[in-house]
Amino acid sequence: MSRFVDRVTIHVSAGNGGHGCSSVHREKFKPLGGPDGGNGGDGGNVQLVVDPQVHTLLDFHFHPHARAGNGTPGHGDNRDGAMGEDLVLKVPDGTVVLDADGTILADLVGAGTVFDAAEGGRGGLGNAKLASKARKAPGFALLGEEGQERDLVLELKSVADVGLVGFPSAGKSSLVSVLSAAKPKIADYPFTTLAPNLGVVQSAGDVFTIADVPGLIPGASTGRGLGLDFLRHLERCAVLAHVVDCATLESDRDPVSDIEALEAELAAYQPALDADHGLGDLADRPRIIILNKIDVPEGAELADIVEPDLAKHGWPIYRISAVSREGLRELTFALAKMVSEYRTAHPKAQARRTVIRPRAVDETGFTVTPDPNEPGGFIVRGTRPERWIAQTTFDNDEAVGYLADRLNRLGVEDALVKLGAKPGAPVTIGAVTFDWEPMTPMGDDVPITGRGTDIRLDRTDRMGADERKEQRRLRRAERHGDLE
């Protein structure tokens, strides 16, 4: 049994960047030929692409997790790691992408439109790229960044030319079945249709799509019945057609009151994408009234009575029977003409041009604020400082010293001094908290010691293990001397 899914939540994870390689070139008679560690490959991106052959979000309902490929680590001999493979997810035309807070991120209209759902992490630099005049053979490399992860909500808003609106059992599904090749479920009880039905109609060389929207009753715009779930499928329709049941058995209903009730619901429902799809408010769309079930004598009689009252709206009125097919030919020609006129005034949306945005290299902005949870502490926020923290191997002293130089050149040291930071103050950047030592010398003039070490990090007032052992030996020797 097929299912129509028009709203799903997916979790997308871009690929992680590969780690850089720390390697030194070695060959016979050349034991130290210089650093030759390659860079890690970038992680793959997760992309959403509009595919005309996809009509539902059903695949995402059963497979809500999507992950792109990871970049591979770099290697020696200046060999860079391979880039992670991008993951392309195909979505229907008319898909709207929202974040977890409900903010609209993209409106995917037009075949081939692409949206980057998650960005892959950058690969870490190898030690060959980190070499400088002062640090000629770095004993470290940068780690790859983690890929972006986030939850996205996908909503499908059908791209149909004609939207059929009406009370349950008004004959919308029957009308779709006789005008097109669609075979929706039809029964003699309300709310038979639980999902929009889409059909393709051909008329004198013109082709247009028609969709019925189920569950519209008074209060639908506020969540009553099924209307709130499916009202969004009307947002892109060029023409709205009121399908009225002229043979209703309910004594408190008549075509005039039905249309007024539905118009009130349409006026109360405000499309969220007016500026994006360019069709304007629902109240401004062309209307047509279809008086259905005139094959029933009571229906034909009621149509004669209410037609003068409905004519006051100024909308075209057509009397049809989906069962006997009376009036369908005239209705089809009228709908084709209205759709053609609207297409002329509103050209069809084309695939949006792909925009390539190079990664910024001058992201120097950062902020330093007092830490509310740590007295005397500070929090540094910014794209570059947080990325540098994530790329650093903290069990390598040379890598930590390189990080300190980068933060100093960025201006973090000066910002902490201006805010009155005291020596030893806890400073948090990203997920790492460290004690700030303002007297630590910085810059390329600092003498570089062995690979993987940094002399600046050895300067501490704390007693080391060797010093403790030496003092212990002296105490023992002194104790033995006193005994003698």
Side-chain angles (χ1 to χ4, degrees):
M1 178 180 178
S2 62
R3 296 181 58 182
F4 180 86
V5 176
D6 64 346
R7 181 182 174 91
V8 294
T9 299
I10 62 174
H11 181 76
V12 293
S13 302
N16 298 329
H19 300 327
C21 175
S22 178
S23 172
V24 175
H25 180 71
R26 289 182 174 86
E27 60 180 276
K28 190 175 182 180
F29 306 122
K30 191 181 292 185
L32 188 61
D36 66 349
N39 303 330
D42 293 340
N45 301 325
V46 179
Q47 296 179 325
L48 302 179
V49 180
V50 174
D51 187 343
Q53 302 302 319
V54 180
H55 305 288
T56 178
L57 301 174
L58 182 63
D59 290 344
F60 301 107
H61 175 75
F62 293 108
H63 304 284
H65 296 273
R67 184 176 185 85
N70 294 330
T72 61
H75 303 279
D77 199 18
N78 293 307
R79 291 176 297 168
D80 294 339
M83 299 180 63
E85 185 176 358
D86 293 340
L87 178 62
V88 178
L89 304 177
K90 298 179 180 180
V91 298
D93 194 0
T95 300
V96 180
V97 185
L98 306 95
D99 61 14
D101 298 328
T103 303
I104 297 176
L105 303 178
D107 179 19
L108 305 181
V109 178
T113 303
V114 180
F115 170 70
D116 291 327
E119 185 178 4
R122 305 188 189 196
L125 297 179
N127 65 340
K129 294 293 185 181
L130 300 175
S132 63
K133 182 187 299 185
R135 187 179 282 103
K136 297 184 178 181
F140 68 98
L142 299 184
L143 301 177
E145 297 179 13
E146 293 185 356
Q148 184 181 15
E149 294 186 10
R150 58 178 173 176
D151 292 329
L152 298 176
V153 178
L154 304 183
E155 283 189 353
L156 175 59
K157 302 191 177 186
S158 300
V159 182
D161 297 310
V162 179
L164 303 181
V165 296
F167 274 71
S169 298
K172 301 184 296 296
S173 298
S174 299
L175 184 57
V176 172
S177 67
V178 297
L179 291 179
S180 68
K183 301 299 179 184
K185 180 181 179 180
I186 301 173
D188 58 352
Y189 55 87
F191 295 102
T192 304
T193 305
L194 298 178
N197 296 307
L198 193 66
V200 179
V201 183
Q202 295 183 356
S203 173
D206 293 329
V207 179
F208 61 92
T209 54
I210 185 171
D212 70 320
V213 179
L216 293 189
I217 59 175
S221 61
T222 59
R224 186 181 178 192
L226 302 176
L228 189 60
D229 293 333
F230 300 117
L231 269 170
R232 60 175 171 268
H233 291 278
L234 293 174
E235 290 188 16
R236 305 187 194 278
C237 293
V239 178
L240 300 183
H242 283 284
V243 181
V244 180
D245 183 4
C246 291
T248 178
L249 299 178
E250 301 178 29
S251 59
D252 58 340
R253 282 180 50 197
D254 68 88
V256 177
S257 61
D258 285 357
I259 292 178
E260 291 178 352
L262 292 179
E263 282 295 322
E265 295 305 317
L266 294 177
Y269 177 75
Q270 295 297 326
L273 299 174
D274 288 345
D276 292 329
H277 58 55
L279 293 177
D281 198 352
L282 289 177
D284 300 329
R285 311 289 171 82
R287 301 286 205 278
I288 187 173
I289 298 177
I290 302 174
L291 301 179
N292 193 16
K293 302 183 182 180
I294 62 171
D295 56 304
V296 180
E298 293 80 1
E301 182 180 355
L302 183 59
D304 293 334
I305 297 174
V306 301
E307 187 170 353
D309 294 331
L310 295 177
K312 298 178 181 178
H313 292 286
W315 303 329
I317 302 176
Y318 287 85
R319 301 166 59 165
I320 64 127
S321 171
V323 175
S324 66
R325 298 178 180 266
E326 180 182 353
L328 293 183
R329 181 180 177 84
E330 295 79 5
L331 175 63
T332 304
F333 289 151
L335 291 176
K337 181 180 179 181
M338 296 177 69
V339 170
S340 177
E341 293 175 351
Y342 206 88
R343 286 176 176 173
T344 303
H346 301 79
K348 186 177 180 180
Q350 300 296 324
R352 298 179 180 177
R353 181 179 302 175
T354 301
V355 178
I356 300 177
R357 297 182 175 87
R359 295 181 175 181
V361 296
D362 57 346
E363 300 168 346
T364 58
F366 69 93
T367 60
V368 181
T369 57
D371 191 340
N373 300 320
E374 187 72 32
F378 296 87
I379 299 178
V380 179
R381 294 184 177 90
T383 302
R384 300 184 75 179
E386 293 177 8
R387 184 171 69 242
W388 293 343
I389 287 290
Q391 292 177 331
T392 301
T393 304
F394 283 93
D395 56 1
N396 185 305
D397 288 347
E398 188 178 1
V400 175
Y402 178 73
L403 170 65
D405 291 338
R406 300 176 86 181
L407 293 175
N408 180 55
R409 288 194 293 267
L410 186 63
V412 174
E413 184 96 359
D414 295 337
L416 289 170
V417 172
K418 291 180 180 179
L419 291 177
K422 304 297 182 182
V427 176
T428 301
I429 306 178
V432 177
T433 301
F434 56 90
D435 295 336
W436 181 56
E437 297 294 341
M439 299 307 294
T440 302
M442 300 288 176
D444 293 334
D445 57 343
V446 177
I448 303 300
T449 55
R451 297 179 66 245
T453 63
D454 194 307
I455 192 174
R456 296 169 295 179
L457 302 182
D458 294 333
R459 300 180 180 182
T460 175
D461 296 333
R462 293 181 299 178
M463 187 179 300
D466 294 339
E467 187 176 356
R468 290 180 185 276
K469 291 180 180 179
E470 179 64 20
Q471 290 190 1
R472 182 179 179 184
R473 187 187 66 80
L474 293 175
R475 287 196 299 270
R476 287 183 176 179
E478 183 179 357
R479 187 180 304 111
H480 289 305
D482 293 342
L483 292 177
E484 294 175 356

